[in-house]
Amino acid sequence: MSEPALRFLEYAFLALLYLFFLRVVRAVWAELREPRTVPAPAPPGATAPGGARAAPPGGRDRGGKDRGQPRRLVVVGPGRSAGPAFPLSSELTIGRAPECAVALPDDNFVSHLHARLFLKGHEYWVEDLGSTNGTLVNGKRVTSAVPVRRGDRLQVGRTVLELQR
């Protein structure tokens, strides 16, 4: 091989090595840093901007009709980890840490504090809390807080959770 070709391969290898090193440092930094603080949702029944009252968390409006609000978050996969159900409240944190409402200690692809599911108005929203591997809702990556409904699937790490009644 010619001298310029060898020199080019050396530089390409060094560039790839530096990119790999930066990715590893970024992943370690994301796991070690303190999670960003997020404001707590308003308590149920509080007045929303404009004077309108928020719907109660049970998913029933003033007429008493059920809107099909989810009531629990169920682990649906993968394989043997399926089954556990977590009742929904005004806010749930999802992660590997034992302090999380939905603790997933066996999934190494889940960050310690991975995502947050919270009630905003009369619907549930999910947001990623700066996790390394991201949060997906129905296969789409979450970049900001997005509303979720009954039947939607959340994926954190390798674990898939479904909002059910």
Side-chain angles (χ1 to χ4, degrees), residues 3-162:
E3 183 68 27
L6 284 175
R7 182 72 58 201
F8 174 76
L9 288 175
E10 285 176 1
Y11 288 133
F13 176 74
L14 283 174
L16 289 173
L17 188 63
Y18 281 120
L19 286 174
F20 174 75
F21 177 72
L22 288 174
R23 175 68 178 138
V24 168
V25 167
R26 181 179 171 268
V28 169
W29 178 258
E31 283 294 319
L32 293 179
R33 70 185 162 107
E34 287 291 320
R36 63 188 169 108
T37 57
V38 290
T47 56
R53 286 187 59 89
R60 295 186 183 275
D61 58 14
R62 286 186 207 154
K65 295 179 183 173
D66 192 347
R67 294 176 143 176
Q69 281 284 63
R71 293 202 171 101
R72 61 188 185 149
L73 188 63
V74 180
V75 178
V76 294
R80 293 183 297 164
S81 65
F86 304 91
L88 292 180
S89 60
S90 62
E91 181 173 358
L92 292 174
T93 53
I94 303 168
R96 252 189 1 233
E99 299 83 27
C100 291
V102 180
L104 304 168
D106 298 331
D107 189 342
N108 292 330
F109 292 91
V110 174
S111 297
H112 284 347
L113 191 57
H114 196 102
R116 174 174 88 120
L117 183 69
F118 61 98
L119 189 63
K120 181 178 179 184
H122 63 278
E123 60 186 352
Y124 283 96
W125 291 65
V126 68
E127 72 176 332
D128 186 79
L129 297 176
S131 66
T132 304
N133 294 315
T135 301
L136 297 131
V137 174
N138 297 326
K140 294 183 181 177
R141 185 176 285 267
V142 171
T143 56
S144 62
V146 296
V148 290
R149 291 171 181 70
R150 185 171 47 102
D152 285 348
R153 289 193 170 206
L154 311 178
Q155 182 173 348
V156 292
R158 290 188 173 162
T159 304
V160 179
L161 306 134
E162 184 176 307

